Amino acid sequence: MDGPFLFVSGTGTEIGKTVVTAAVAATARAGGRSVAVLKPAQTGLTAGQPGDVAEVIRLAGPVTGRELVRFPDPLAPATAARRAGLPPVGPAEIAKAAEALAEDHDLVLVEGAGGLLVWFDESGSTLADAARRLDAPVLVVTTAGLGTLNTTALTVEALRARRLACPGLVIGSWPDRPDLAARCNVADLPRVAEAPLLGAVPSGAGALPPPAFRDRAPGWLAPRLGGHWTG
């Protein structure tokens, strides 16, 4: 990837963004790059509980991790902040934190919360607004099965409407026994999104022992992401 920043968003929640982020981080580390991971808003956890940043570090190995804010309710960041009576995090803060990490790292991965257009604050700011401040590309994590063509096309269309580059798609959880829809979607996803499929992380990858995860991660990602996956 060109440039120090890569945002990781998705077509929804619970689709494998964190494991994909870890796979990209592990692959970059295997290629000799220094990596930082930024989570602007972690929701659904209280202080002291391991969040997405901790999971990326556990799987990918020694990367720098930073979490900007944390809210206990498992809701969109803006809603969770309001319910907690805490200030939200906005695009300017996210971009500033990413730029600070880029001073000492070759690659800064910024993992969003839920889908691309989830609100981070009451003004309706989204992860896309933060990416726009940095002119950063946004990798889209999607699902394999029925319904993914619509949500993926909508997400990529939203990126293009905001003049943001989408280098490609990664399937966040490729099933052990893909059904007909999943098998067809491998060919159809790049067509409807007009963006290449850059990898498929197998279901259950996050449960692998970390050394096995790091060893296998480059095989799940295409050369554009530093791996050797060919589809």
Short mmCIF file of all heavy atoms in Angstrom, two decimals, residues 16 18-27 55-61 201-202 204-221:
data_model
loop_
_atom_site.label_atom_id
_atom_site.label_comp_id
_atom_site.label_asym_id
_atom_site.label_seq_id
_atom_site.Cartn_x
_atom_site.Cartn_y
_atom_site.Cartn_z
N GLY A 16 -15.66 -9.24 11.22
CA GLY A 16 -14.25 -9.63 11.16
C GLY A 16 -13.26 -8.51 10.95
O GLY A 16 -12.11 -8.77 10.59
N THR A 18 -11.63 -6.64 13.07
CA THR A 18 -10.46 -6.70 13.95
C THR A 18 -9.50 -7.79 13.52
O THR A 18 -8.27 -7.59 13.51
CB THR A 18 -10.91 -6.92 15.40
OG1 THR A 18 -11.73 -5.82 15.81
CG2 THR A 18 -9.71 -7.02 16.34
N VAL A 19 -10.01 -8.94 13.12
CA VAL A 19 -9.14 -10.03 12.68
C VAL A 19 -8.46 -9.66 11.36
O VAL A 19 -7.28 -9.96 11.14
CB VAL A 19 -9.92 -11.35 12.57
CG1 VAL A 19 -9.03 -12.46 12.04
CG2 VAL A 19 -10.46 -11.75 13.94
N VAL A 20 -9.19 -9.00 10.46
CA VAL A 20 -8.58 -8.53 9.22
C VAL A 20 -7.49 -7.50 9.53
O VAL A 20 -6.40 -7.55 8.94
CB VAL A 20 -9.64 -7.95 8.27
CG1 VAL A 20 -8.97 -7.23 7.09
CG2 VAL A 20 -10.56 -9.05 7.75
N THR A 21 -7.78 -6.58 10.43
CA THR A 21 -6.76 -5.59 10.83
C THR A 21 -5.52 -6.29 11.35
O THR A 21 -4.38 -5.92 11.02
CB THR A 21 -7.34 -4.63 11.89
OG1 THR A 21 -8.47 -3.95 11.35
CG2 THR A 21 -6.30 -3.61 12.31
N ALA A 22 -5.72 -7.32 12.17
CA ALA A 22 -4.59 -8.08 12.71
C ALA A 22 -3.83 -8.79 11.60
O ALA A 22 -2.59 -8.87 11.62
CB ALA A 22 -5.08 -9.09 13.75
N ALA A 23 -4.54 -9.32 10.62
CA ALA A 23 -3.88 -10.01 9.51
C ALA A 23 -3.06 -9.04 8.67
O ALA A 23 -1.93 -9.36 8.26
CB ALA A 23 -4.93 -10.71 8.63
N VAL A 24 -3.59 -7.85 8.42
CA VAL A 24 -2.83 -6.83 7.68
C VAL A 24 -1.60 -6.41 8.48
O VAL A 24 -0.50 -6.26 7.93
CB VAL A 24 -3.72 -5.60 7.36
CG1 VAL A 24 -2.89 -4.50 6.72
CG2 VAL A 24 -4.87 -6.00 6.44
N ALA A 25 -1.78 -6.24 9.79
CA ALA A 25 -0.66 -5.86 10.65
C ALA A 25 0.42 -6.94 10.67
O ALA A 25 1.62 -6.65 10.56
CB ALA A 25 -1.15 -5.58 12.07
N ALA A 26 0.01 -8.19 10.82
CA ALA A 26 0.97 -9.30 10.86
C ALA A 26 1.72 -9.42 9.54
O ALA A 26 2.93 -9.67 9.53
CB ALA A 26 0.24 -10.60 11.18
N THR A 27 1.00 -9.22 8.44
CA THR A 27 1.63 -9.31 7.12
C THR A 27 2.62 -8.17 6.91
O THR A 27 3.72 -8.37 6.36
CB THR A 27 0.55 -9.31 6.03
OG1 THR A 27 -0.32 -10.44 6.24
CG2 THR A 27 1.16 -9.41 4.64
N GLU A 55 -6.61 -7.21 21.03
CA GLU A 55 -6.74 -8.42 20.22
C GLU A 55 -5.81 -8.38 19.01
O GLU A 55 -5.20 -9.39 18.64
CB GLU A 55 -8.20 -8.58 19.77
CG GLU A 55 -8.48 -9.80 18.92
CD GLU A 55 -8.33 -11.13 19.66
OE1 GLU A 55 -7.95 -11.13 20.85
OE2 GLU A 55 -8.57 -12.17 19.03
N VAL A 56 -5.69 -7.21 18.38
CA VAL A 56 -4.76 -7.09 17.25
C VAL A 56 -3.33 -7.36 17.71
O VAL A 56 -2.58 -8.10 17.05
CB VAL A 56 -4.86 -5.69 16.60
CG1 VAL A 56 -3.75 -5.50 15.56
CG2 VAL A 56 -6.22 -5.50 15.94
N ILE A 57 -2.94 -6.80 18.84
CA ILE A 57 -1.58 -7.02 19.36
C ILE A 57 -1.37 -8.49 19.70
O ILE A 57 -0.30 -9.06 19.42
CB ILE A 57 -1.33 -6.11 20.58
CG1 ILE A 57 -1.33 -4.64 20.15
CG2 ILE A 57 -0.01 -6.47 21.25
CD1 ILE A 57 -1.31 -3.67 21.32
N ARG A 58 -2.37 -9.11 20.29
CA ARG A 58 -2.25 -10.54 20.65
C ARG A 58 -2.01 -11.39 19.41
O ARG A 58 -1.16 -12.28 19.40
CB ARG A 58 -3.53 -11.01 21.36
CG ARG A 58 -3.46 -12.46 21.86
CD ARG A 58 -4.79 -12.89 22.45
NE ARG A 58 -5.80 -13.11 21.44
CZ ARG A 58 -5.94 -14.24 20.74
NH1 ARG A 58 -5.09 -15.26 20.93
NH2 ARG A 58 -6.89 -14.37 19.84
N LEU A 59 -2.76 -11.11 18.34
CA LEU A 59 -2.66 -11.93 17.14
C LEU A 59 -1.46 -11.56 16.27
O LEU A 59 -0.77 -12.44 15.74
CB LEU A 59 -3.95 -11.80 16.32
CG LEU A 59 -5.21 -12.43 16.92
CD1 LEU A 59 -6.44 -12.03 16.12
CD2 LEU A 59 -5.08 -13.95 16.97
N ALA A 60 -1.23 -10.26 16.09
CA ALA A 60 -0.23 -9.80 15.12
C ALA A 60 1.17 -9.71 15.69
O ALA A 60 2.15 -9.71 14.95
CB ALA A 60 -0.64 -8.45 14.54
N GLY A 61 1.27 -9.62 17.02
CA GLY A 61 2.58 -9.45 17.61
C GLY A 61 2.82 -8.02 18.02
O GLY A 61 1.90 -7.21 18.09
N VAL A 201 -10.19 -14.03 4.88
CA VAL A 201 -9.68 -14.59 6.13
C VAL A 201 -10.58 -15.75 6.54
O VAL A 201 -11.80 -15.58 6.61
CB VAL A 201 -9.64 -13.52 7.23
CG1 VAL A 201 -9.20 -14.11 8.56
CG2 VAL A 201 -8.70 -12.38 6.82
N PRO A 202 -10.03 -16.93 6.78
CA PRO A 202 -10.88 -18.07 7.09
C PRO A 202 -11.62 -17.92 8.40
O PRO A 202 -11.12 -17.30 9.36
CB PRO A 202 -9.89 -19.24 7.14
CG PRO A 202 -8.56 -18.63 7.36
CD PRO A 202 -8.60 -17.29 6.73
N GLY A 204 -12.83 -18.51 11.96
CA GLY A 204 -12.10 -19.05 13.10
C GLY A 204 -10.65 -18.68 13.16
O GLY A 204 -9.93 -19.14 14.08
N ALA A 205 -10.19 -17.84 12.25
CA ALA A 205 -8.76 -17.47 12.24
C ALA A 205 -8.33 -16.82 13.56
O ALA A 205 -7.21 -17.01 14.02
CB ALA A 205 -8.46 -16.54 11.07
N GLY A 206 -9.24 -16.06 14.16
CA GLY A 206 -8.90 -15.38 15.40
C GLY A 206 -8.68 -16.31 16.57
O GLY A 206 -8.11 -15.90 17.59
N ALA A 207 -9.11 -17.58 16.43
CA ALA A 207 -8.92 -18.56 17.50
C ALA A 207 -7.62 -19.34 17.35
O ALA A 207 -7.28 -20.16 18.21
CB ALA A 207 -10.10 -19.53 17.53
N LEU A 208 -6.89 -19.08 16.26
CA LEU A 208 -5.60 -19.76 16.08
C LEU A 208 -4.60 -19.31 17.13
O LEU A 208 -4.66 -18.17 17.61
CB LEU A 208 -5.03 -19.44 14.69
CG LEU A 208 -5.72 -20.06 13.48
CD1 LEU A 208 -5.17 -19.41 12.20
CD2 LEU A 208 -5.50 -21.57 13.44
N PRO A 209 -3.65 -20.15 17.48
CA PRO A 209 -2.54 -19.67 18.32
C PRO A 209 -1.83 -18.52 17.60
O PRO A 209 -1.64 -18.58 16.38
CB PRO A 209 -1.64 -20.90 18.46
CG PRO A 209 -2.53 -22.06 18.16
CD PRO A 209 -3.53 -21.58 17.16
N PRO A 210 -1.47 -17.48 18.30
CA PRO A 210 -0.85 -16.32 17.63
C PRO A 210 0.30 -16.65 16.69
O PRO A 210 0.35 -16.09 15.58
CB PRO A 210 -0.41 -15.44 18.80
CG PRO A 210 -1.43 -15.72 19.85
CD PRO A 210 -1.71 -17.19 19.73
N PRO A 211 1.24 -17.56 17.04
CA PRO A 211 2.30 -17.86 16.07
C PRO A 211 1.76 -18.43 14.75
O PRO A 211 2.27 -18.10 13.68
CB PRO A 211 3.18 -18.89 16.80
CG PRO A 211 2.94 -18.61 18.25
CD PRO A 211 1.50 -18.23 18.33
N ALA A 212 0.71 -19.27 14.84
CA ALA A 212 0.12 -19.83 13.63
C ALA A 212 -0.60 -18.74 12.84
O ALA A 212 -0.55 -18.71 11.60
CB ALA A 212 -0.85 -20.95 13.99
N PHE A 213 -1.28 -17.83 13.54
CA PHE A 213 -1.95 -16.72 12.88
C PHE A 213 -0.95 -15.89 12.08
O PHE A 213 -1.17 -15.58 10.91
CB PHE A 213 -2.66 -15.85 13.92
CG PHE A 213 -3.44 -14.71 13.34
CD1 PHE A 213 -4.79 -14.84 13.06
CD2 PHE A 213 -2.83 -13.48 13.07
CE1 PHE A 213 -5.51 -13.77 12.51
CE2 PHE A 213 -3.54 -12.42 12.54
CZ PHE A 213 -4.89 -12.57 12.26
N ARG A 214 0.16 -15.55 12.71
CA ARG A 214 1.17 -14.70 12.04
C ARG A 214 1.79 -15.42 10.86
O ARG A 214 2.09 -14.79 9.84
CB ARG A 214 2.24 -14.30 13.05
CG ARG A 214 1.71 -13.44 14.18
CD ARG A 214 2.67 -13.36 15.35
NE ARG A 214 1.95 -12.97 16.57
CZ ARG A 214 2.45 -13.05 17.78
NH1 ARG A 214 3.71 -13.50 17.95
NH2 ARG A 214 1.74 -12.69 18.82
N ASP A 215 1.98 -16.71 10.99
CA ASP A 215 2.58 -17.47 9.91
C ASP A 215 1.65 -17.57 8.70
O ASP A 215 2.10 -17.52 7.56
CB ASP A 215 2.94 -18.87 10.42
CG ASP A 215 3.63 -19.71 9.36
OD1 ASP A 215 4.73 -19.31 8.92
OD2 ASP A 215 3.06 -20.76 8.97
N ARG A 216 0.34 -17.68 8.97
CA ARG A 216 -0.61 -17.91 7.88
C ARG A 216 -1.19 -16.63 7.29
O ARG A 216 -1.70 -16.64 6.17
CB ARG A 216 -1.76 -18.79 8.39
CG ARG A 216 -1.31 -20.17 8.85
CD ARG A 216 -2.50 -20.98 9.36
NE ARG A 216 -2.06 -22.18 10.09
CZ ARG A 216 -2.88 -23.04 10.65
NH1 ARG A 216 -4.19 -22.86 10.56
NH2 ARG A 216 -2.40 -24.08 11.30
N ALA A 217 -1.13 -15.54 8.02
CA ALA A 217 -1.80 -14.31 7.59
C ALA A 217 -1.43 -13.86 6.18
O ALA A 217 -2.31 -13.47 5.41
CB ALA A 217 -1.53 -13.19 8.60
N PRO A 218 -0.15 -13.90 5.77
CA PRO A 218 0.15 -13.45 4.40
C PRO A 218 -0.55 -14.27 3.32
O PRO A 218 -0.78 -13.77 2.22
CB PRO A 218 1.68 -13.61 4.32
CG PRO A 218 2.15 -13.48 5.73
CD PRO A 218 1.07 -14.15 6.54
N GLY A 219 -0.90 -15.51 3.64
CA GLY A 219 -1.60 -16.34 2.67
C GLY A 219 -3.06 -16.00 2.51
O GLY A 219 -3.73 -16.51 1.60
N TRP A 220 -3.58 -15.15 3.40
CA TRP A 220 -4.98 -14.73 3.32
C TRP A 220 -5.16 -13.42 2.57
O TRP A 220 -6.29 -13.02 2.28
CB TRP A 220 -5.57 -14.56 4.72
CG TRP A 220 -5.43 -15.76 5.61
CD1 TRP A 220 -5.41 -17.07 5.22
CD2 TRP A 220 -5.30 -15.76 7.04
NE1 TRP A 220 -5.27 -17.88 6.31
CE2 TRP A 220 -5.20 -17.12 7.44
CE3 TRP A 220 -5.26 -14.76 8.01
CZ2 TRP A 220 -5.06 -17.48 8.78
CZ3 TRP A 220 -5.12 -15.12 9.33
CH2 TRP A 220 -5.03 -16.47 9.71
N LEU A 221 -4.07 -12.72 2.28
CA LEU A 221 -4.13 -11.38 1.71
C LEU A 221 -3.38 -11.31 0.39
O LEU A 221 -2.34 -11.96 0.22
CB LEU A 221 -3.54 -10.36 2.68
CG LEU A 221 -4.19 -10.29 4.08
CD1 LEU A 221 -3.42 -9.34 4.98
CD2 LEU A 221 -5.65 -9.87 3.98
#
